[in-house]
Amino acid sequence: MTETARERVAIIGTGLAGLTTAHLLQNDPKKRYAVTLLEQADSLSFDSASVAVKSHETGAVERVDLPMRASAGGYYANLNRMYHHLEVPMHPVRFLFVFAKALKQRGTEAGNYQDSNQSPSAAASAVPDGYFVHASNLHQLPPPRPSAYSTWRYLLEILYLIICHAWFRAACFLVQPHDESFAQYLERIWLPRRYTTHYILPLMSSVSTCTHDELLAFPASDLVNYNKFSYGQQHYTVCGGVQQVQSRLSRGIEDIRVRSRVLEVLPRSSGKVLIRWQDTVGAQEEVFDRAVLAVSPDVASRLFAPLKTTGLDKIPTTWVESSVLTNASRAHSLVDLDDRTSQGKVACMHHAAVEVESASTQVITLRTQFSGFDGARSEALHTMPSGVVVSTCPLDGESEATQKRTLKTAGFRRTLRTVESRATVERIFRDGSGGTTDGWVNGENNVWLAGSWCWDGMVLLEGCVISAMRVADEFGVEIPWRK
């Protein structure tokens, strides 16, 4: 098929959903589609917030993703299959999750307590106000004991957790969630409140980057399925950061338009789609055969008027910040990889494990503020192999001490889930099968939606891949990594 005969598809947004959709259509074996990517930022957005950090102590340069990108087998089945197909280098990683109370009166700066010579176990034990350390996949038994706990007190806590953990796991496999919130499900299975507030909510709210109350409003099925499918699975990260994924997905796509802020998407009577945007030159508009909105639901509703009848604009979202912080015991600086005068070469710290002992086991501290103006919330502090700390959902990010240690801060819009928003998404993605049509459905007017929120599950990278695969299916494009 000639280039002029191809259907022109505009994809708005270049996160993982937009890039995966573009990759599938661009590599259609029948070569039926010509893809145009529209992005309002200065570069493709999936890797736009990531940074390269140089250690002044070792000279090593580490690529740090913002926000943190890790996946587990089971729940991230399609994501991992796609990575395998793209030959993205990945490595397993083990985590020590430290549960700690955020007590500001102690005067300890967030993430500023790890000595550069400490092992991960010693660092986990030394976290101020830590009350438990959990080793992912139980790779370390017994787990490190918090320094403030006596041996007997810690043994009692372990016994309590064994009982509660078995209780919760059994419920996830045996008690099917109804059309209910996570809070209602927890009440129905009679899970001990302290286990919920001190363990389940800090851990899962860090995965979802939201407050505890926002997590409790999630559909119960989201959390139950996540725990079922990720149980006992290995965690993985991408060697050298998600730039490895972005470069592979965008390879071969020639029409990429950055600094192009889309203003409006209009269906035409001819069945085509008119897109208006603003770039560095001025106002632009162009007609495409099809369009894919790979953006958050509030943005999609603002751009495409028919979505206003679906209730999509009522789906809650929240603003999340993630920062790279220096460690008090080590000096770091950002490196511009595009500057040829920059010193140092980016290395995967996992494969530099000979020099960096903490590469295979990393400490993530979950500091929880159990009361506050906006309710309980947890900050995740991920100590990277190079020693820098990635803080997500900071509790004291505006403090002077934290600001002095901040190398970079990035923000992103997180879509939240509720029982009501789940019903809205299900109505939009029913694929026109059965029932009455009470609003716009995906694919109508030759406009499709894609994103981490466009499926019945947690708003994570797996949703990006599944929604992109759905678009490819409806376009009749083969998905090479599908079994």
Side-chain angles (χ1 to χ4, degrees):
M1 184 177 291
T2 64
E3 184 70 28
T4 55
R6 291 187 182 187
E7 287 194 50
R8 300 188 64 223
V9 182
I11 298 176
I12 302 167
T14 59
L16 183 61
L19 290 177
T20 303
T21 304
H23 174 80
L24 287 168
L25 301 186
Q26 177 70 24
N27 292 280
D28 171 30
K30 298 180 181 179
K31 302 186 182 303
R32 291 167 291 177
Y33 303 104
V35 174
T36 297
L37 281 171
L38 294 166
E39 170 58 53
Q40 68 175 354
D42 295 337
S43 60
L44 299 179
S45 66
F46 186 47
D47 183 54
S48 62
S50 302
V51 295
V53 179
K54 180 179 180 180
S55 169
H56 294 182
E57 180 181 348
T58 65
V61 178
E62 179 182 24
R63 188 77 176 185
V64 178
D65 290 331
L66 287 180
M68 170 191 169
R69 314 281 191 177
S71 61
Y75 195 78
Y76 291 89
N78 291 284
L79 177 75
N80 289 331
R81 287 176 193 149
M82 182 182 76
Y83 283 178
H84 180 73
H85 168 74
L86 296 173
E87 297 182 344
V88 172
M90 299 179 69
H91 61 252
V93 61
R94 297 176 298 186
F95 294 113
L96 289 176
F97 294 99
V98 183
F99 295 86
K101 298 177 182 178
L103 301 179
K104 291 185 178 180
Q105 61 267 32
R106 293 295 179 90
T108 302
E109 297 174 34
N112 206 25
Y113 38 74
Q114 183 170 347
D115 187 285
S116 61
N117 296 318
Q118 284 182 312
S119 67
S121 295
S125 297
V127 172
D129 302 303
Y131 54 87
F132 193 75
V133 180
H134 168 65
S136 61
N137 293 331
L138 304 178
H139 71 265
Q140 185 173 337
L141 292 175
R145 175 173 59 86
S147 57
Y149 273 35
S150 67
T151 300
W152 284 109
R153 183 182 178 188
Y154 199 46
L155 289 175
L156 287 175
E157 187 73 7
I158 291 175
L159 179 60
Y160 169 78
L161 290 176
I162 289 174
I163 296 171
C164 292
H165 189 67
W167 187 338
F168 180 58
R169 287 295 180 189
C172 286
F173 283 94
L174 300 176
V175 183
Q176 293 299 315
H178 300 156
D179 188 17
E180 60 190 338
S181 69
F182 189 46
Q184 292 169 324
Y185 181 81
L186 293 174
E187 184 177 345
R188 187 158 63 90
I189 65 174
W190 292 85
L191 195 66
R193 181 172 179 79
R194 180 172 172 273
Y195 179 69
T196 296
T197 59
H198 284 61
Y199 292 97
I200 295 293
L201 296 182
L203 180 61
M204 294 310 302
S205 67
S206 71
V207 172
S208 303
T209 57
C210 63
T211 68
H212 292 195
D213 286 343
E214 289 167 342
L215 183 72
L216 287 169
F218 275 38
S221 59
D222 285 13
L223 284 303
V224 169
N225 289 333
Y226 181 87
N227 280 278
K228 283 171 60 176
F229 290 111
S230 62
Y231 178 67
Q233 297 291 330
Q234 176 67 56
H235 291 87
Y236 296 92
T237 56
V238 176
C239 300
V242 295
Q243 60 175 339
Q244 301 268 15
V245 181
Q246 179 172 283
S247 63
R248 285 165 170 79
L249 288 175
S250 59
R251 188 178 298 155
I253 302 175
E254 297 180 354
D255 193 1
I256 300 177
R257 308 180 190 182
V258 296
R259 304 185 188 91
S260 300
R261 184 170 65 90
V262 175
L263 305 174
E264 197 172 16
V265 177
L266 296 168
R268 313 305 288 173
S269 58
S270 62
K272 296 183 182 294
V273 184
L274 173 67
I275 297 180
R276 292 178 176 151
W277 71 91
Q278 186 84 23
D279 61 16
T280 54
V281 176
Q284 309 287 342
E285 67 176 46
E286 199 167 331
V287 174
F288 293 85
D289 295 295
R290 309 186 191 197
V292 179
L293 306 184
V295 294
S296 60
D298 55 324
V299 174
S301 181
R302 187 169 68 247
L303 296 180
F304 188 53
L307 287 175
K308 289 179 170 52
T309 65
T310 64
L312 203 63
D313 57 336
K314 296 180 175 60
I315 293 180
T317 63
T318 188
W319 185 253
V320 177
E321 288 191 349
S322 188
S323 301
V324 179
L325 311 176
T326 60
N327 193 299
S329 62
R330 304 184 189 181
H332 299 86
S333 60
L334 298 183
V335 175
D336 183 1
L337 296 180
D338 295 325
D339 183 358
R340 295 186 179 182
T341 64
S342 296
Q343 298 294 317
K345 181 180 180 181
V346 176
C348 174
M349 289 298 177
H350 176 81
H351 295 114
V354 175
E355 293 92 14
V356 185
E357 293 183 5
S358 60
S360 59
T361 301
Q362 300 173 21
V363 177
I364 298 180
T365 301
L366 306 174
R367 292 177 68 235
T368 299
Q369 176 182 287
F370 288 100
S371 62
F373 176 77
D374 55 353
R377 57 196 185 103
S378 298
E379 172 185 19
L381 293 155
H382 181 189
T383 303
M384 304 297 292
S386 64
V388 296
V389 177
V390 177
S391 166
T392 304
C393 300
L395 299 178
D396 49 5
E398 297 181 358
S399 69
E400 183 179 353
T402 301
Q403 288 293 327
K404 287 181 178 179
R405 297 174 49 219
T406 301
L407 295 175
K408 180 177 179 177
T409 297
F412 59 96
R413 180 66 58 183
R414 164 70 81 180
T415 302
L416 301 174
R417 291 269 288 176
T418 64
V419 174
E420 294 75 21
S421 72
R422 180 193 184 199
T424 298
V425 171
E426 285 182 339
R427 284 196 301 271
I428 291 173
F429 292 99
R430 63 176 175 261
D431 301 323
S433 57
T436 59
T437 57
D438 53 356
W440 185 89
V441 295
N442 193 44
E444 192 174 342
N445 308 119
N446 275 328
V447 175
W448 281 260
L449 300 174
S452 57
W453 58 275
C454 297
W455 76 308
D456 190 22
M458 298 277 282
V459 184
L460 300 170
L461 294 181
E462 179 71 3
C464 295
V465 178
I466 286 180
S467 63
M469 292 168 62
R470 181 195 291 119
V471 173
D473 280 337
E474 296 195 20
F475 281 40
V477 173
E478 176 186 342
I479 300 169
W481 58 81
R482 175 181 283 154
K483 288 186 177 180

